[in-house]
Amino acid sequence: MRPLVQPPPSSRCDLCGGELRLKQIESANSTLELDCEIFVCVKCGREQSCTVSHDRSAPNPKAA
């Protein structure tokens, strides 16, 4: 069994320190291939979002 480790600080809520879990991914700008990732804190329910570059190596769900 693998030992449990703390997630990196970026996956913690800035408000309460709870774990952030991915809620959904939306297209932010298709021309620039940017996605908006929305996370929710499991402890306080606060939502946080960030804009990231689209991962070209991930499978495209629309292609299936």
Side-chain angles (χ1 to χ4, degrees):
M1 178 183 280
R2 284 181 16 191
L4 297 176
V5 295
Q6 290 293 323
S10 61
S11 65
R12 293 284 180 185
C13 177
D14 294 335
L15 189 62
C16 72
E19 179 186 355
L20 293 176
R21 295 202 181 154
L22 183 63
K23 179 179 177 182
Q24 71 184 58
I25 300 174
E26 300 173 343
S27 177
N29 186 318
S30 59
T31 305
L32 298 176
E33 295 187 351
L34 297 175
D35 291 332
C36 180
E37 295 180 344
I38 301 170
F39 295 88
V40 65
C41 176
V42 296
K43 198 172 185 181
C44 70
R46 179 174 177 240
E47 289 189 2
Q48 292 180 225
S49 64
C50 63
T51 303
V52 296
S53 294
H54 180 74
D55 185 358
R56 294 177 190 239
S57 63
N60 185 351
K62 295 178 184 175

